[in-house]
Amino acid sequence: MAADKPKFYITTPIYYTNGLPHIGHTYSTIVCDTIRRYKRMRGYDVVMTTGTDEHGVNVERAAKQAGVSETEFVAKMAADWRALWDELGIQGDEFIRTTDLKHAHTVQWLFRLCRENGYVYKGHYTGQYCIYDNAFVNDAKPGDNCPDCGRPTETITEENYFFKLSAFQKPLLDFYQKNPGFIQPDTRRNEIISFVEGGLKDLSITRTTIRWGIPVPGEEPHVFYVWFDALTAYLSAVGGPQYEGRGYWPADVHLVGKDIIRFHTVYWPAFLMAAMLPLPKQVWAHGWFLMDAAKMSKSKGNVVLPRPIVYVLGMDALRYYVLRDTVFGQDGNFSYDALVTRYNSDLANGLGNFASRTAAMIEKNFSGKIPKPGSLQPQDEALTKEIQSAIGEVLERFDKCGFSLALELIWSLIAAADKYLASEQPWALGTSDTDAQRRATILWTAAEALRVVTVLAHPVLPDSTARVWTLLGQPGHVGSQDLDGLRWGQLKPGTPLGKSQTLFPRIEKAEAIERMEAMENEPQKPATAPAPGTTPGVAAAAPQSAPEKIGIEDFAKVEMRVGEIKTAERIVGADKLLKLTVDIGTEIRQICAGIAPYYEPDKLIGRKVAVVTNLAPRKLRGVESNGMIIAASVGPEGRPVLAGFHEDVEIGARLK
Ligand code: MSP
C-alpha cells in the first residue's frame, strides 16, 4: 500500500515553452524517470513532477510572431511537450503549467508569506537585463552582452518589489554546511558556496515592463519575475499551500542542468526560508550534452531531436546511451556514431544476444521450461558469486546517481555470463543423463543471470527488460520487483518461458545514422506507435507491408534528372559516405551518397547518374546534401549499384 511506503519526490526543470524538447531536455527527463523507477523498485512511493514554464517576455514575443494570443501559444506548446513525454514513456506523475490557476495561487501565497515575514520591500532598479535568460546581468554596462548566452542585454528601469536576498547569506551558508549533500556534485557545491560568500544582492521579484505573468495581487501592473514564478511550480504540483496534506514536500531531489543551479540552490532555498517553509533535500546538477563542442540550443541550430533516434533505435537505446556514455554531472558530447556503436555492442550483441541465446537453448533442450540445476561446479559457483556480490554494488552506484558506473557493472555481469556459456558449451554436451544434468545446470545458471541483470537494468531499460521478463516467463511486471529482495537463486525450475521477443535487432551503422539524420531534417511528427511486442526501433526496421499505390500526380512530384559527377571525395569520420558534386544541367549540386565502401571516388568522375533534384536539402554527418543519387539496393547487405544509362544522354534531361 502506497500509504505505508516512504514518500519520494523528484522534479525535472520546468521547461520553457519557446521551443520543443531536444536531447538536452530529454536527458534531464530521462534521468528523473530512471531515478523514479529505481526508487519505486526500492519501495518508495514516488512522485515525479515535470512541466512548462510559460510566462515572460520571450513568450510574449513568440506569440506575437506566431500571430496568436499568449494563452493560445502556450496551450499548444505545453500540449506538444506533454505529448512528447507521453510518446517517449517519460511523462511525469504531475505535469504543472505555470499558467495553471492552482500555481498562480501558490506563487501569490508564497509572496504573501515572504512579505509578511518582512523580506519584501518596494524599490527601483535599473540594470542590464537578458530577456532570453530572464535575468538582470550583475555588473553589466549598457551595450554588454549576456555572459551566459552571449546575446545583447537591454537596459531596464523598473519599480519592483525586492526580495531581501542579502539577509540570507549567512542562513544559506549555514544550511550548506549542515547539509553537505544538498548541492551535488561537489564541484558545483564549492562554486555556489564561493558565490554566496562573495555577497548577495537583493533581488527584484516583480516586473512592471512585462504583461504576461502572474499578477501580484492588489499591485497591478506588477507581475512576478519568472524565476519566482517557475521555481514555485515544484510546490504547486504537490499541493501548494496544502502541501502537508499530500506529504511529498519537501522535494527529495530537484534534478537540473548546471546552467540553472544558482536559481535552485540560492534563490529557491532563500524564498522558502523567508516563507518559513521546508527546504528541498537535494539539488543535483547534471552537465550538458554538447554538439560540436557547444551546448545544444535552438538559437545555435545545433540541436538533436529525440524522435528520430527513438524511431530508428528505440527509446531504450537512447536512455542507455545518454546514461552510459556520460559521467553524470559532467558534460558529454553527443555523437550518432557512439550511439549506434553502443546500441550494437551493448544492446544487440550484449543483452539481446545473451537473452535470445539462453532462451533458444532452453526452448530446444528443455521444451521451453526452465531446467532444474544439479550439483554445482566451481565455475558455476564463481559466476554465482560474482553476480550475487555485484547486486549491492549496483544499488550503491544508482544511489549516488552513478548511472554509467552502474551500467558498466551490470554489463560486466552480462559479459561474464556470456563467457561462462562460451566456455561451458552446453550445446556440445551429449545425450547421457550426466550431460543432460550438466546442461540443465548451465542453462539454469545462465537464465538466472539473465533474470538478475534484467531486474537491475530495468530503471534504465524499462521497455526491453519488460520483454526479457516475459521471455523468461516471470510473473508480474519487472518494474514491481523489489530490488532490496533481489538475490541469486530465485528462478523457479519448471517455469515455462513466455513468448519469444525481438529485443535489439542489429542495425548497420551508416544506415541507422542516415535514417536518423534524414528524420532530423524533416518536420517532426510523432513516431508511429510500435506494434505490441516490438521496440520502436524494431517496428521501424521490420519488413513493411505492401506499399500503397500512388497516382501519377504523386509520382510527378518527384523531379529526377540526369547528372554528371564532377568531384568525389571521402568524408572524415563517415566511412560510408562520399561527398559528390554533381552537374544537373542548371547548377552544380553537393550531394552525399552512402556508397563509399563500394565505389572508388576517382572512378566516379564523369559518370552519369540519376539524381532526385527536388528533395529538401538535409545534413548527413554534418555535411549538407542537396539531392539524392538513385541506386539499386542489392543483396542482403543492400549493396548500392548506381543507376545509369547505356546511351548518351544530355546532362539535366528529366527522367519521367
Ligand atoms: N524554465 C527554466 C527552468 C525553470 S525550473 C524552475 C529553464 N528551462 S529550459 O527549457 O531552458 O530547460 C532547462 C533545462 O534543460 C536545463 O537546466 C537542463 O536540465 C536541460 N538542458 C537544456 N539544454 C541542455 C543540454 N544541451 N544538455 C543537457 N541538458 C540541457 O531553464
Side-chain angles (χ1 to χ4, degrees):
M1 286 281 291
D4 324 324
K5 293 183 176 179
K7 290 188 160 49
F8 188 89
Y9 180 35
I10 182 164
T11 63
T12 74
I14 307 298
Y15 300 105
Y16 287 133
T17 40
N18 47 342
L20 283 173
H22 58 62
I23 290 294
H25 309 114
T26 311
Y27 176 56
S28 296
T29 312
I30 287 176
V31 171
C32 274
D33 178 71
T34 302
I35 298 175
R36 161 172 59 176
R37 291 176 195 269
Y38 171 72
K39 284 288 180 182
R40 285 197 175 138
M41 293 176 80
R42 302 265 342 234
Y44 287 84
D45 162 19
V46 189
V47 163
M48 165 176 147
T49 285
T50 189
T52 39
D53 184 352
E54 304 181 7
H55 289 124
V57 74
N58 279 336
V59 170
E60 255 179 41
R61 290 183 182 179
K64 198 165 176 199
Q65 211 174 15
V68 294
S69 70
E70 288 93 352
T71 313
E72 207 178 318
F73 181 81
V74 293
K76 160 96 178 58
M77 293 302 275
D80 285 349
W81 276 76
R82 206 174 183 145
L84 184 75
W85 296 150
D86 279 351
E87 191 185 314
L88 303 184
I90 49 178
Q91 60 280 60
D93 305 295
E94 296 290 341
F95 189 97
I96 187 84
R97 297 182 53 191
T98 58
T99 51
D100 286 342
L101 197 57
K102 70 173 181 187
H103 171 68
H105 290 154
T106 308
V107 173
Q108 292 166 343
W109 166 74
L110 182 71
F111 177 76
R112 202 176 64 239
L113 293 180
C114 293
R115 196 177 190 180
E116 281 167 7
N117 293 339
Y119 293 106
V120 171
Y121 64 93
K122 207 179 225 179
H124 279 91
Y125 185 83
T126 299
Q128 293 307 116
Y129 190 80
C130 173
I131 56 150
Y132 293 94
D133 294 338
N134 285 306
F136 278 105
V137 180
N138 284 337
D139 307 322
K141 297 177 296 305
D144 283 356
N145 288 339
C146 168
D148 284 336
C149 71
R151 286 177 271 216
T153 57
E154 295 180 12
T155 307
I156 291 187
T157 297
E158 283 191 341
E159 180 195 68
N160 294 151
Y161 277 98
F162 279 79
F163 176 78
K164 275 194 201 164
L165 187 62
S166 54
F168 291 91
Q169 183 185 27
K170 184 157 179 344
L172 282 170
L173 290 171
D174 289 347
F175 176 71
Y176 303 148
Q177 201 186 10
K178 281 200 203 102
N179 300 277
F182 176 63
I183 305 171
Q184 287 295 318
D186 287 341
T187 44
R188 301 279 163 230
R189 175 169 189 269
N190 299 338
E191 257 171 52
I192 293 297
I193 290 178
S194 26
F195 170 75
V196 176
E197 280 171 347
L200 294 175
K201 287 192 182 145
D202 290 349
L203 182 74
S204 79
I205 52 165
T206 69
R207 299 279 181 272
T208 45
T209 42
I210 299 170
R211 201 177 35 81
W212 181 240
I214 297 175
V216 182
E219 303 286 351
E220 290 80 358
H222 283 267
V223 297
F224 287 102
Y225 165 51
V226 282
W227 277 98
F228 190 85
D229 165 349
L231 288 159
T232 310
Y234 298 136
L235 190 49
S236 340
V238 289
Q242 282 81 42
Y243 69 91
E244 280 165 313
R246 284 202 57 193
Y248 291 99
W249 191 261
D252 290 272
V253 184
H254 290 313
L255 197 285
V256 299
K258 64 178 186 180
D259 44 335
I260 54 175
I261 183 101
R262 194 179 288 178
F263 298 102
H264 284 79
T265 57
V266 181
Y267 296 2
W268 182 224
F271 298 155
L272 292 167
M273 279 178 184
M276 294 203 278
L277 291 170
L279 268 51
K281 295 180 199 156
Q282 190 171 62
V283 178
W284 236 111
H286 64 70
W288 286 338
F289 259 102
L290 309 176
M291 191 67 186
D292 305 327
K295 184 187 179 217
M296 271 179 218
S297 82
K298 212 177 118 203
S299 56
K300 288 197 204 100
N302 65 346
V303 295
V304 175
L305 301 172
R307 267 190 188 127
I309 298 172
V310 171
Y311 190 76
V312 175
L313 299 176
M315 181 60 176
D316 279 6
L318 174 61
R319 295 173 70 109
Y320 182 81
Y321 167 70
V322 295
L323 294 172
R324 177 70 181 86
D325 260 37
T326 48
V327 175
F328 192 63
Q330 294 178 14
D331 290 350
N333 248 314
F334 184 88
S335 139
Y336 282 118
D337 205 286
L339 164 70
V340 185
T341 302
R342 280 281 175 208
Y343 173 85
N344 277 331
S345 69
D346 296 14
L347 300 180
N349 288 349
L351 177 61
N353 184 43
F354 176 58
S356 42
R357 264 172 99 194
T358 305
M361 285 189 277
I362 294 176
E363 196 61 59
K364 180 166 169 226
N365 297 288
F366 297 98
S367 317
K369 290 208 173 110
I370 306 281
K372 186 169 182 308
S375 58
L376 299 184
Q377 296 193 359
Q379 52 289 26
D380 313 327
E381 276 164 353
L383 183 69
T384 306
K385 207 168 142 217
E386 181 173 352
I387 296 183
Q388 177 61 49
S389 63
I391 296 175
E393 178 62 28
V394 170
L395 303 192
E396 267 178 41
R397 293 181 185 191
F398 270 125
D399 280 336
K400 291 185 197 143
C401 291
F403 303 109
S404 182
L405 291 174
L407 291 171
E408 189 181 311
L409 186 53
I410 300 171
W411 259 255
S412 77
L413 304 179
I414 298 175
D418 240 343
K419 202 165 146 207
Y420 165 83
L421 273 187
S423 68
E424 295 310 303
Q425 305 200 347
W427 52 87
L429 292 165
T431 51
S432 69
D433 279 358
T434 326
D435 275 7
Q437 185 63 258
R438 179 70 198 134
R439 187 183 293 113
T441 306
I442 298 167
L443 291 180
W444 179 87
T445 305
E448 175 59 348
L450 179 61
R451 186 188 70 88
V452 174
V453 296
T454 301
V455 177
L456 291 174
H458 178 73
V460 177
L461 301 178
D463 184 43
S464 36
T465 51
R467 289 181 215 286
V468 179
W469 202 245
T470 306
L471 177 69
L472 280 173
Q474 296 305 294
H477 190 275
V478 58
S480 323
Q481 297 308 298
D482 170 19
L483 274 173
D484 293 287
L486 180 64
R487 302 272 178 284
W488 179 270
Q490 294 162 326
L491 182 66
K492 287 205 183 69
T495 311
L497 293 184
K499 228 171 97 227
S500 102
Q501 303 283 324
T502 315
L503 292 167
F504 305 102
R506 269 191 70 84
I507 188 157
E508 219 264 312
K509 192 191 273 180
E511 183 206 327
I513 296 176
E514 193 171 329
R515 281 171 58 193
M516 289 186 280
E517 287 187 337
M519 282 183 74
E520 282 277 347
N521 291 304
E522 283 166 10
Q524 293 299 297
K525 49 181 178 307
T528 316
T534 61
T535 64
V538 177
Q544 308 287 310
S545 53
E548 224 184 282
K549 298 247 186 305
I550 58 163
I552 187 75
E553 65 288 355
D554 286 327
F555 178 69
K557 286 184 195 152
V558 182
E559 187 186 87
M560 280 188 278
R561 293 190 182 274
V562 176
E564 186 179 274
I565 299 179
K566 293 292 184 197
T567 63
E569 59 183 277
R570 297 191 185 277
I571 300 176
V572 182
D575 304 348
K576 302 282 156 77
L577 286 183
L578 287 186
K579 184 164 87 178
L580 311 172
T581 48
V582 184
D583 182 352
I584 57 162
T586 47
E587 61 185 300
I588 308 262
R589 291 275 185 92
Q590 174 170 297
I591 300 177
C592 295
I595 56 173
Y598 306 95
Y599 287 92
E600 273 304 313
D602 289 354
K603 303 229 167 83
L604 287 170
I605 303 195
R607 184 158 173 163
K608 293 213 171 123
V609 284
V611 184
V612 179
T613 50
N614 64 342
L615 264 186
R618 56 194 180 137
K619 278 199 170 163
L620 297 175
R621 313 300 293 278
V623 181
E624 170 133 332
S625 183
N626 196 355
M628 191 171 81
I629 312 274
I630 302 285
S633 173
V634 178
E637 89 279 24
R639 176 171 63 90
V641 175
L642 292 177
F645 306 93
H646 292 297
E647 291 164 50
D648 197 23
V649 283
E650 193 186 323
I651 294 172
R654 178 128 194 225
L655 273 72
K656 294 185 175 172

